Amino acid sequence: MIRPALSLVLAAGLALGAAAPVLASVDPTTGDTPGQAVMICSEDAATRASFQREYGERPVFVSAQDLLAARDAGERWEAPRCMTEREFARFERMTEQRAELRR
């Protein structure tokens, strides 16, 4: 009985976590939220339809380089952009490398 309930709780948590924007944290230096909210999205038809239903527009996929350039330029957008899991891993590596260079 505990095992199925735990599985349901974990599944619900994962579903909520997957729906949350990846880069929606507050900037500690300014207190502002970034204008570049990005979600990890699949590239299948169901995900595209769901995104369009939620945000009223088709998903726009960005690369790690696109996101860094938008952040550096101060670009802002209303609806979140999408990124594949692989591209998000690349983005994380790039931001870690940038942080190491600034030290």
Side-chain angles (χ1 to χ4, degrees):
M1 182 69 176
I2 292 174
R3 196 167 233 170
L6 180 61
S7 295
L8 288 174
V9 170
L10 288 174
L14 288 173
L16 289 174
V22 172
L23 299 174
S25 60
V26 174
D27 183 347
T29 57
T30 64
D32 294 336
T33 55
Q36 301 94 6
V38 176
M39 300 177 73
I40 296 176
C41 305
S42 296
E43 295 182 276
D44 62 355
T47 300
R48 290 178 188 272
S50 175
F51 188 95
Q52 191 160 2
R53 230 183 354 264
E54 181 73 24
Y55 297 104
E57 58 186 63
R58 295 176 56 195
V60 176
F61 282 82
V62 294
S63 69
Q65 191 64 41
D66 293 340
L67 181 57
L68 289 172
R71 188 170 67 180
D72 291 344
E75 185 179 333
R76 302 182 69 80
W77 48 67
E78 292 297 317
R81 299 294 193 247
C82 286
M83 187 177 273
T84 63
E85 286 185 50
R86 183 177 182 178
E87 199 62 31
F88 180 68
R90 183 172 173 230
F91 171 75
E92 285 184 315
R93 283 192 309 275
M94 291 172 77
T95 53
E96 287 171 5
Q97 289 171 347
R98 279 182 153 196
E100 287 176 12
L101 291 173
R102 292 182 181 165
R103 290 183 187 170

